[in-house]
Amino acid sequence: MSDRDFLSIDDLSRDELQSLLEEAAAVKADPRAWADRLRDRQVALIFEKASTRTRVSFEVAVTSMGGHAVVLRGDELQLGRGETLEDTGRVLSRYVDAIVVRTFGQDRLERLADAASVPVINGLSDFAHPCQCLADLQTLREKKGELRGLSLAYVGDGNNVAHSLMFGGTKLGMDVRLACPTGYEPFPQVVERSVELAAESGGRLTITDDVERAVAGADVLYTDVWVSMGQEEGDRRRTFAPYQVGPAMIDLAGDDVIVMHCLPAHRGEEITADAIDGPRSVVWDQAENRLHSQKALLAWLLEQ
Ligand code: CP
Ligand code: NVA
């Protein structure tokens, strides 16, 4: 078995990403047909940060495909007492068929993945949230059909979720527009790579601090928390206030705009209650699709 990892959306070629999204749709349409895909397979899930969706959807994905999930908090492993990531990766590879990790720096994931001989999946890092992006792209296909040419305005912090949307969207030929306050832009290397991906796919990438420029006529309006896990110091509310997704911003977007949020949401901060709970919101479908897309991801990685 190979140990193909999934640490970033950019670890997949365009064809692999597209076929994974097709598989995600297939598993959603007929979950029973997938009931044995992970029979006798073991998956470890390590969480160094809080989680509701990732933790539950991965455990349910594994068990409902006939496998077994071992869910571990970082502080209950010897990792929390100084055992190295490398030793943890080597040892877990002797017990399980894949490892899902939610952690801080991407370097932590890379160290574990380099030492592990089984696939390692990024369940969120400070750098990227590729599993969320898979579910988001699945949701976009359901709601909008063809992704090529679709305009997605991401408004808020240029964070892990933004990075993965930039990679995934530009890889598939979308028009990705980010409106971020000065000082909260995405990482330069993500911008640089996404520009390359857009050039290859016929997509577009715009980074601006001007909400109107990003949102005007957009097919999709996406936001995430202003304060990601591990970045709690300081008060960002004043800086981010003009970036709140609410009725006025929705009016600026296209007539059929849908509103997306990876959750957890803070109503009254990055999004108003009427926007997230209103008729344009697809956030519950996004959350559900974590389950289906991760089933497709696990089956694909474990069958390499
Ligand atoms: N969207 C997401 O990853 O949610 P959790 O933090 O609850 O896993
Ligand atoms: N950007 C958020 C996403 C949570 C799913 C965070 O990293 O906390």
Side-chain angles (χ1 to χ4, degrees):
M1 194 178 80
S2 82
D3 76 330
R4 185 83 194 264
D5 301 311
F6 182 62
L7 306 189
S8 167
I9 285 285
D10 201 25
D11 290 347
L12 303 177
S13 69
R14 183 172 313 119
D15 286 350
E16 286 171 338
L17 177 55
Q18 263 159 347
S19 86
L20 206 46
L21 293 172
E22 271 152 36
E23 291 292 276
V27 69
K28 185 171 184 175
D30 187 9
R32 283 172 193 275
W34 292 59
D36 279 330
R37 291 288 285 270
L38 292 195
R39 178 151 304 285
D40 299 329
R41 298 302 196 111
Q42 318 294 328
V43 179
L45 309 170
I46 301 175
F47 288 90
E48 295 191 320
K49 292 175 176 171
S51 172
T52 296
R53 280 143 290 270
T54 306
R55 187 207 180 290
V56 178
S57 59
F58 262 113
E59 182 168 350
V60 171
V62 172
T63 54
S64 61
M65 290 195 292
H68 178 70
V70 184
V71 184
L72 302 153
R73 286 200 330 264
D75 64 4
E76 69 189 338
L77 293 168
Q78 295 288 6
L79 195 53
R81 296 181 58 251
E83 186 167 22
T84 66
L85 288 157
E86 289 80 0
D87 289 356
T88 304
R90 285 183 197 108
V91 170
L92 290 181
S93 300
R94 301 292 178 107
Y95 303 137
V96 302
D97 300 288
I99 307 170
V100 179
V101 189
R102 170 166 287 197
T103 188
F104 293 88
Q106 191 76 356
D107 58 312
R108 293 180 66 72
L109 276 169
E110 285 165 1
R111 284 173 55 199
L112 196 141
D114 284 348
S117 56
V118 297
V120 174
I121 295 172
N122 181 356
L124 179 146
S125 64
D126 294 343
F127 177 71
H129 198 1
C131 294
Q132 181 65 49
C133 184
L134 284 183
D136 295 340
L137 294 172
Q138 179 175 7
T139 308
L140 285 175
R141 281 167 56 113
E142 291 170 358
K143 305 293 176 192
K144 297 287 188 186
E146 175 62 42
L147 299 190
R148 210 178 156 77
L150 199 69
S151 53
L152 180 148
Y154 175 98
V155 181
D157 189 19
N159 61 15
N160 45 9
V161 169
H163 288 166
S164 291
L165 286 169
M166 289 166 70
F167 286 140
T170 55
K171 197 169 275 251
L172 297 183
M174 289 172 56
D175 172 9
V176 179
R177 313 159 179 184
L178 266 76
C180 309
T182 304
Y184 297 93
E185 296 92 350
F187 291 0
Q189 72 266 34
V190 179
V191 177
E192 198 178 313
R193 176 64 183 146
S194 301
V195 166
E196 281 173 17
L197 289 169
E200 288 165 14
S201 68
R204 284 182 64 178
L205 180 71
T206 307
I207 314 284
T208 177
D209 63 357
D210 178 348
V211 170
E212 192 165 345
R213 184 169 163 226
V215 172
D219 300 311
V220 183
L221 191 48
Y222 198 121
T223 193
D224 182 18
V225 292
W226 291 342
V227 180
S228 285
M229 291 179 279
Q231 300 178 353
E232 286 82 6
E233 78 297 339
D235 185 356
R236 296 179 171 197
R237 272 173 292 198
R238 189 191 296 264
T239 307
F240 277 89
Y243 295 80
Q244 182 186 66
V245 172
M249 208 186 283
I250 291 172
D251 283 348
L252 276 176
D255 290 342
D256 295 323
V257 69
I258 57 171
V259 172
M260 300 182 80
H261 191 309
C262 60
L263 304 176
H266 297 81
R267 289 171 177 76
E269 291 193 19
E270 75 276 4
I271 192 159
T272 61
D274 49 2
I276 194 165
D277 299 320
R280 297 182 179 280
S281 170
V282 299
V283 301
W284 316 118
D285 297 311
Q286 287 177 261
E288 178 186 335
N289 285 337
R290 294 294 302 276
L291 174 64
H292 308 301
S293 54
Q294 287 161 194
K295 281 187 179 178
L297 174 69
L298 285 164
W300 179 70
L301 279 175
L302 292 177
E303 285 163 13
Q304 291 290 304

